[in-house]
Amino acid sequence: MIKLEHISKSFGRHQVLNNIDLKVSKGEVVVILGPSGSGKTTLLRCVNYLEKPSGGEISIGEFKLDCRHARKKDIHQLRQKTAMVFQQYNLFRHKTALENVMEGLLIVKKLPKEAAREKSIALLEKVGLGAKLDAYPSQLSGGQQQRVGIARALALEPEVILFDEPTSALDPELVGEVLEVIRKIAKEGITMIVVTHEMGFARDVANHVVFMDGGVIVEEGTPSEVFNHPREERTKQFLKRITPELNYSI
Amino acid sequence: MKLDPSFIWTAFVQILSAIPTTLYITVVSVLAGFVIGIVVALIRIYRTPGLYPLAVGYVTFIRGTPMLTHLLLIYFGLPMIIDGLAVQFGWSFRSVSIPMIGFAYIAFSITAGAYMSEVVRSGLLAVDRGQIEAAHSIGMSTPQALRRIVFPQALAASLPNLSNSVIGMLHGSTLAFTVSVVDINAQAQIVASTNWKFFEAYLAAALIFWGLTFLIERATALIEKRINLYNRGGVA
Ligand SMILES: Nc1ncnc2c1ncn2[C@@H]1O[C@H](COP(=O)(O)OP(=O)(O)OP(=O)(O)O)[C@@H](O)[C@H]1O
Ligand SMILES: [Mg+2]
């Protein structure tokens, strides 16, 4: 289980996250919604320690990290237990698809080359890129790049994968293939926290939906609770704006 | 005085023996300068406390003064320091046992370090932040991320500027004649001193420099082709 307790983050005087508490059970898919600037990206980055939280605690299973007194070793451990899929893919540009996936296995997990290779090929086949092993990122479409990014994250067998708007940089016709892959791995019981504006996907795949605004969690619950019976005014307004068709169906 | 084409060839052959000296100075100053450049660039990018102002001071001073001045300052200043220390600590070593070319190595390495730190720095800054973040996100340490992800891309990005630095140092190495090192240019002067056919001798030297520069440019193009393979798609 992953537990975030009292996570706060300020950039200078600007407080972006204010005392966030969140629990994610093993195998659960949590979708985070919220307007631009509400702190969704920052929250994910804090969990991966790409951003140092100003305060709070992150626990993953037995492992616990107090953000105020985190040592290098703790941060390293936390990063091994979490993996990030970036909005802009951030594939290593000078490495092929296969090398991108192998990198963490070789350098961080210290797997022998042959084993790393085999595992990486299997993962790339799983995301439908068995034919693109030797392609460089510049030779791949956005959707293909993002699927490599997902394979790279999966390779490390993290406790949780963090997705930050994984499809929002994609052309509309490429969104489906990436969501399909995410759906597939969600079914395998991999724990994930997903920031997305894809409401259909959120309804289908999420076990738990969190609505954030202004650096706090305004409301959370099952998809049907949050989407069909939102309690908070701010949630209602947000949903109305983002899914205008809801006005007709109600 | 008339041009003596045959002496161009004679001089050319006689100057060849000085090529190694010029290449030594160039290679030593470029390699040492590259190492200094990487260290200084990292200090500047990470704003290492204490070292940051030193790094900035070094780069602005060296870039703000001529290369010949660096050589003269080292040539006259270093012996004072070394001999002063030697007396104080009772070493037997004295500065007279430093070969002349040693002063050129030291001075030009310092020169190259400042210029190359700018090259390295702009190369590092050309690498997208997302690259090092992705490396961190899969659990790589900062040194691992720099070595495996950032440096190779920075090197590719700065290759044209690095090549220019090498050419700059090759041409700049001619200044070593001021401390009696016999490089290509000095050799040309020596060759011509018996018959005063300086124009022919310097023309021969020019051809040799041109040839060397051409080789550096070809080599750069080859390396560029190899390591920029990943840019084939031409995206971004
Ligand atoms: N490095 C930074 N320095 C200063 N302010 C920052 C930094 N990163 C984010 N912020 C601020 O923090 C706030 C939250 O940003 P964040 O990127 O987490 O929002 P978001 O919910 O992901 O928004 P979006 O939906 O647009 O991606 C914003 O006001 C942003 O300007
Ligand atoms: Mg965001």
Side-chain angles (χ1 to χ4, degrees), chain A:
Chain A
M1 182 162 84
I2 295 145
K3 213 157 74 180
L4 309 181
E5 290 169 284
H6 316 301
I7 298 290
S8 297
K9 172 70 188 173
S10 306
F11 291 107
R13 293 221 314 273
H14 179 33
Q15 181 149 26
V16 175
L17 295 177
N18 190 354
N19 211 7
I20 300 273
D21 287 308
L22 184 65
K23 277 188 202 163
V24 184
S25 309
K26 203 165 167 49
E28 207 175 30
V29 177
V30 173
V31 165
I32 301 182
L33 309 172
S36 183
S38 55
K40 307 178 298 289
T41 297
T42 307
L43 182 62
L44 289 192
R45 288 169 61 84
C46 282
V47 177
N48 200 211
Y49 233 85
L50 290 176
E51 217 67 78
K52 181 180 164 30
S54 325
E57 284 171 11
I58 302 172
S59 350
I60 299 181
E62 297 295 295
F63 171 82
K64 188 161 191 166
L65 176 140
D66 180 346
C67 299
R68 277 179 212 277
H69 317 105
R71 290 165 306 165
K72 267 211 172 99
K73 205 175 104 253
D74 301 325
I75 296 170
H76 186 65
Q77 255 195 308
L78 176 67
R79 283 189 178 146
Q80 295 209 33
K81 289 173 184 294
T82 56
M84 186 93 156
V85 173
F86 298 89
Q87 189 173 4
Q88 302 295 341
Y89 333 127
N90 292 354
L91 295 186
F92 304 130
R93 290 186 48 201
H94 62 310
K95 294 189 180 286
T96 62
L98 181 59
E99 288 166 346
N100 264 276
V101 182
M102 283 173 68
E103 184 71 7
L105 293 174
L106 291 175
I107 304 304
V108 181
K109 296 277 193 229
K110 312 267 188 229
L111 247 60
K113 198 160 182 183
E114 220 18 70
R117 205 183 135 78
E118 253 169 55
K119 184 166 183 182
S120 304
I121 292 176
L123 284 167
L124 283 166
E125 280 169 354
K126 180 189 248 176
V127 299
L129 290 174
K132 294 283 184 185
L133 302 181
D134 296 323
Y136 285 93
S138 60
Q139 299 167 314
L140 296 173
S141 74
Q144 291 170 334
Q145 289 188 58
Q146 192 58 297
R147 286 187 277 148
V148 176
I150 294 171
R152 178 174 70 180
L154 280 170
L156 297 151
E157 299 178 3
E159 306 274 338
V160 58
I161 302 185
L162 311 163
F163 293 85
D164 186 16
E165 303 198 30
T167 59
S168 64
L170 294 175
D171 291 338
E173 75 270 20
L174 299 179
V175 169
E177 66 185 57
V178 172
L179 291 183
E180 205 41 59
V181 167
I182 300 176
R183 249 190 205 110
K184 183 163 143 193
I185 59 177
K187 280 211 189 93
E188 291 177 8
I190 291 172
T191 315
M192 356 187 181
I193 306 179
V194 187
V195 172
T196 184
H197 292 299
E198 297 291 333
M199 291 301 144
F201 172 83
R203 274 172 190 278
D204 285 4
V205 181
N207 308 105
H208 193 80
V209 175
V210 172
F211 174 68
M212 281 180 71
D213 193 9
V216 298
I217 292 181
V218 175
E219 177 163 3
E220 57 182 311
T222 64
S224 101
E225 281 169 356
V226 175
F227 287 122
N228 302 340
H229 314 286
R231 281 168 285 136
E232 302 288 331
E233 196 52 39
R234 272 194 285 179
T235 319
K236 287 178 194 163
Q237 277 180 1
F238 174 76
L239 290 173
K240 206 183 260 173
R241 233 178 329 119
I242 200 150
T243 48
E245 70 273 22
L246 228 62
N247 298 338
Y248 304 103
S249 63
I250 291 175

